[in-house]
Amino acid sequence: MTSSSQIAVRELPLFPLPEVVLFPNRPLPLHIFEFRYRIMMNTILESDRRFGVLLWDPVQGQPARVGCCAEIIQYQRLPDDRMRVATLGQQRFRVLEYVREKPYKVGLVEWIEDNPPQKDLRPMAREVEQLLRDVVRLSAKLTEQEIDLPENIPDLPTELSYWVASNLYGVAAEQQTLLEMQDTAARLEREADILKSTRNHLAARTVLKDTFEA
């Protein structure tokens, strides 16, 4: 029997969300209360427990064309048929066309993956991880709080690039750009630029803080 992940093109129920970009291997907890999405969850729980998460663009009034498949790992039924759902990001996809709009969107999608790397990306991944640690250290100093990175940060370049992208907050459009990239090196380079800018900003604020407290 062929699993859904091996089929190049398939129909997928779609869940557009504002300000949310899901990445492969990253968790996404959801509270399902809208009637149409309660129908969707009940339907997919009887199937392969998979649906697509797409960033909703309020300016364009439509969802993005590239998203990430989510798989339901756990769920809890609440009063009034509401649900709490724990999902995990799987592979990325591109919407080719919509095959149904009601009661919820269903799209014909194709899976997408990063292109094979042309060079060893481990040095770039180590640089991105070090920049991340610098940002966390400076943030902890500024806020006078203990901030620790989890011990299970991925060390493989592609998985690390998804992990870093998923932990950028308040920049959904930037996350969407990173999700759509199919070049791991380009994604890591963009993340390095973001982290360098953040590190420099935090370092300047730290200098000011130290000066005024001296």
Side-chain angles (χ1 to χ4, degrees):
M1 181 176 177
T2 304
S3 72
S4 60
S5 62
Q6 293 174 309
I7 300 172
V9 176
R10 63 163 282 182
E11 289 187 8
L12 192 67
L14 300 173
F15 195 169
L17 285 168
E19 299 298 314
V20 173
V21 180
L22 178 63
F23 287 86
N25 305 314
R26 302 303 302 149
L28 177 64
L30 294 170
H31 178 202
I32 308 298
F33 55 88
E34 276 191 64
F35 181 66
R36 56 182 165 169
Y37 295 122
R38 297 197 313 244
I39 295 174
M40 184 174 90
M41 291 299 156
N42 285 318
T43 301
I44 64 175
L45 279 170
E46 297 176 358
S47 179
D48 65 358
R49 297 192 170 204
R50 292 185 169 207
F51 62 98
V53 174
L54 291 169
L55 175 66
W56 177 260
D57 186 338
V59 177
Q60 300 291 331
Q62 61 186 16
R65 302 293 291 189
V66 172
C68 184
C69 180
E71 182 175 4
I72 297 175
I73 306 301
Q74 291 180 315
Y75 68 96
Q76 176 189 11
R77 295 192 183 277
L78 301 172
D80 305 324
D81 204 29
R82 290 177 295 118
M83 298 175 69
R84 292 194 188 282
V85 178
T87 75
L88 187 67
Q90 304 293 336
Q91 58 270 70
R92 293 172 297 159
F93 64 86
R94 180 181 292 106
V95 179
L96 300 176
E97 62 180 277
Y98 291 105
V99 296
R100 197 167 73 238
E101 293 282 345
K102 294 181 178 181
Y104 49 83
K105 290 181 182 294
V106 176
L108 187 67
V109 308
E110 63 176 354
W111 304 122
I112 59 174
E113 296 180 355
D114 278 8
N115 301 318
Q118 302 299 311
K119 60 181 179 179
D120 185 357
L121 299 181
R122 286 174 295 181
M124 190 181 300
R126 286 194 291 269
E127 179 191 4
V128 167
E129 183 176 343
Q130 185 56 55
L131 286 166
L132 182 65
R133 294 187 183 281
D134 291 345
V135 167
V136 168
R137 176 178 53 80
L138 289 167
S139 297
K141 185 174 181 180
L142 273 172
T143 59
E144 298 181 349
Q145 295 177 340
E146 284 193 21
I147 306 175
D148 294 318
L149 283 170
E151 295 180 359
N152 60 343
I153 295 177
D155 51 10
L156 295 175
T158 301
E159 284 73 8
L160 176 69
S161 73
Y162 292 147
W163 192 95
V164 172
S166 72
N167 283 283
L168 299 175
Y169 293 107
V171 287
E174 183 72 66
Q175 288 182 303
Q176 181 64 30
T177 298
L178 292 167
L179 182 75
E180 293 181 9
M181 287 181 176
Q182 290 183 254
D183 184 330
T184 307
R187 190 181 303 109
L188 287 169
E189 286 171 2
R190 178 58 189 150
E191 289 167 351
D193 289 343
I194 293 169
L195 290 169
K196 283 176 186 174
S197 177
T198 305
R199 181 189 63 182
N200 294 343
H201 175 70
L202 291 172
R205 287 182 60 191
T206 302
V207 169
L208 285 173
K209 183 173 183 287
D210 291 343
T211 300
F212 285 115
E213 289 181 353

